[in-house]
Each structure stands twice: as C-alpha cells, then as structure tokens.
Amino acid sequence: MSIQPAFLQGLRPTLHISHRGGAALAPENTLEAFRRAVEVFQTDMLELDVHVTQDGEVVVAHDDTLERCTDGTGALARYTLAEIQKLDAGYGFTPDEGRTFPFRGQGIRIPTLREVLRAFPSLRLNVELKPDVPGHEDLFARLLEAEGAVERVCIGSELDAVGERLVARLPRACHFYPRDALASFVITLRNGESPPEDPRFTVLDMPLYFGELRLVDAPFLRECAARGKWVNVWTVDDPGEMRQLLEEGVGGIMTDRPDLLRQRMDATTKPG
C-alpha cells in the first residue's frame, strides 16, 4: 500500500465539498461562491478548476472559453490577466433558467488561484488543471510551491497525459486519478478483480453513476479503503443520494448545492 500524502492525513469521512464553490447558488469558481461555501455552509473543501492566461497567470475557471459564465467571448487563453479581470464573472449566473441574473454588474470577476489560496489559507482544495498544454503544469506547480500550498491541495486532470506530468512535477502532492486510469481501476474493482497498484494516485474523484449503474456503494468503498484510496463522488445534489452516501461512509461528497448537503449532514449527526 502506498504512503498517504500529507493532504489526506487526519481526514475522516464524510467531507462537505463545494463543487466550483456551489455552482447552483452563486457564480461558479468565484470568490463570491467560495466565501459563501466556507462562511455559510462550513464546507470542508473547495473543488475548482484552473486555466492559464496569455501572460502565464493561473486563474480559476472551468471552461476554456468565456461565453457561458462571463460577458466575454472567445478563448480564455488568448487574454491577459488584466483583460480577464475586466470581465463580469457574475454575468452568466441564473438561478431560474434565465429569468433573472442577480449577480450581473456586482463587480464579480474571475479570480487568480493565488487569490483563492490566500483568501482561505487553511482550507483544503481539490484543483483540476484543465488544458493539455505542456509547461502549464510547471506554472501551476511553481505557484503552489511559492504559496506553501502543496500539502493542502489535491491536484490532477481529467486527461491522463496532464495528470502524469503533474505527478512528475509534484511527486509528493496528493493526486487524483485521471480519466483512463480511473476507469481501469473502477471497472476492474467492480468486476471483483484486483486493480493494478498505482501509488501515484490516491484519490478517486468519480461520478456516482455510469448510466443507470450506481458505481459507489459500501463494498466498493471498503475495497478502495483497503487499497489506501480515498473516494470523492461528484456531482451530488439530491438529498436522498446524499443521505445514502453518508450512511455508506463515502470520503467526500461534491455538490453544487452546499446548502442541501449541510442540512443533510447536520441532520445525520443529530441525536435520533
């Protein structure tokens, strides 16, 4: 069994994880969303995504284009940080399918990763590096090292090539499985076989369902734990599913509804 990274030491299930800060309640991947998750819903961890600007700054955003969440257009990577931070990152958020846009014009902008690290200096983060651009992993790693944040982030990518470059650059950090390695691990384990040991990755950030098949259950979690692996499930917004996952002892629940998850977790811990 591989040695647990410092990120996981002392953690106990189940973690309240706000997906993009709680994307159903506030503009995703913004300081506004992150502060609400931390201050109002006492989240244990923030899940977020990062890209790199034209001038090499690491910024927090999910999409590689700007249209969905901001009043900008085109590829994020074509803009400098100064240009990016002139955009309205609250522009696209709507709680009612486009009838209202309550965060427009409120001064909300795309934050840098450095800003987020400094705004929440003791909080753990789950961070995905989005683009497959060799060299971006070094910019990302140098920032984490400069901010003294390597031990409080779990990092990775959906893309196996990017995930592997991150492991090579930050071998002592906590890394979540990239897509193909994750699929191999999960399929093998659910087929009752022993998956190949890969000490590079210790966290499974995974969907709850594949089609109609529920991937995570108590036996699956026990098998993962026996192999030293931690399981976070995304993106769970249904209170019934939250309750079942809490009963099963999942490592963490990633949700766009940190309000509902907090209610369910509080109800679960109360006597009776």
Side-chain angles (χ1 to χ4, degrees):
M1 183 184 299
S2 57
I3 299 173
Q4 279 196 335
F7 177 89
L8 290 176
Q9 292 174 13
L11 289 187
R12 299 181 62 182
T14 295
L15 300 178
H16 181 293
I17 307 175
S18 294
H19 181 253
R20 305 183 196 173
L25 303 183
E28 66 179 56
N29 279 324
T30 65
L31 286 171
E32 175 72 18
F34 298 149
R35 288 195 182 102
R36 288 183 178 216
V38 172
E39 296 171 5
V40 179
F41 307 116
Q42 296 82 51
T43 201
D44 298 305
M45 189 184 302
L46 295 171
E47 187 277 342
L48 53 91
D49 316 276
V50 295
H51 284 264
V52 177
T53 65
Q54 185 186 67
D55 51 345
E57 293 290 335
V58 182
V59 296
V60 182
H62 177 271
D63 297 1
D64 57 7
T65 55
L66 297 165
E67 285 84 353
R68 183 173 64 86
C69 293
T70 80
D71 56 346
T73 59
L76 184 156
R78 294 183 178 179
Y79 289 75
T80 66
L81 177 63
E83 292 168 334
I84 285 288
Q85 295 198 320
K86 291 178 182 177
L87 301 176
D88 184 351
Y91 189 85
F93 178 84
T94 175
D96 47 22
E97 300 180 340
R99 290 189 291 275
T100 63
F101 295 86
F103 289 95
R104 283 185 179 179
Q106 302 301 307
I108 297 172
R109 56 187 174 80
I110 294 175
T112 65
L113 179 58
R114 181 177 287 106
E115 287 178 295
V116 176
L117 291 169
R118 293 182 178 182
F120 310 101
S122 61
L123 194 70
R124 285 178 169 88
L125 308 178
N126 186 287
V127 186
E128 179 176 355
L129 179 62
K130 297 299 289 188
D132 184 359
V133 180
H136 280 189
E137 71 279 354
D138 189 55
L139 293 172
F140 179 45
R142 279 191 276 148
L143 171 60
L144 295 177
E145 291 166 340
E147 295 296 320
V150 173
E151 293 188 350
R152 66 180 179 98
V153 295
C154 186
I155 61 176
S157 171
E158 180 185 12
L159 306 174
D160 286 63
V162 179
E164 290 168 5
R165 291 200 300 269
L166 284 169
V167 169
R169 179 59 179 80
L170 289 171
R172 292 184 177 84
C174 176
H175 295 268
F176 60 80
Y177 277 79
R179 179 179 55 207
D180 293 348
L182 174 67
S184 176
F185 184 97
V186 172
I187 292 170
T188 304
L189 195 59
R190 288 198 60 88
N191 285 340
E193 303 168 5
S194 183
E197 172 60 24
D198 192 340
R200 299 175 301 171
F201 307 111
T202 52
V203 172
L204 286 75
D205 285 348
M206 60 180 290
L208 179 56
Y209 284 91
F210 180 74
E212 298 296 316
L213 176 64
R214 194 175 194 271
L215 297 175
V216 177
D217 54 25
F220 177 83
L221 293 170
R222 286 195 296 270
E223 291 293 335
C224 288
R227 291 165 172 80
K229 307 299 185 183
W230 182 278
V231 179
N232 296 321
V233 177
W234 52 260
T235 303
V236 182
D237 297 333
D238 178 75
E241 294 284 11
M242 292 174 180
R243 178 175 182 175
Q244 185 171 343
L245 286 164
L246 289 167
E247 291 172 350
E248 292 167 343
V250 71
I253 299 174
M254 296 181 175
T255 183
D256 287 333
R257 293 294 306 267
D259 54 338
L260 297 181
L261 180 55
R262 175 50 57 202
Q263 291 171 12
R264 176 49 55 197
M265 293 181 78
D266 288 350
T268 300
T269 58
K270 289 178 181 178

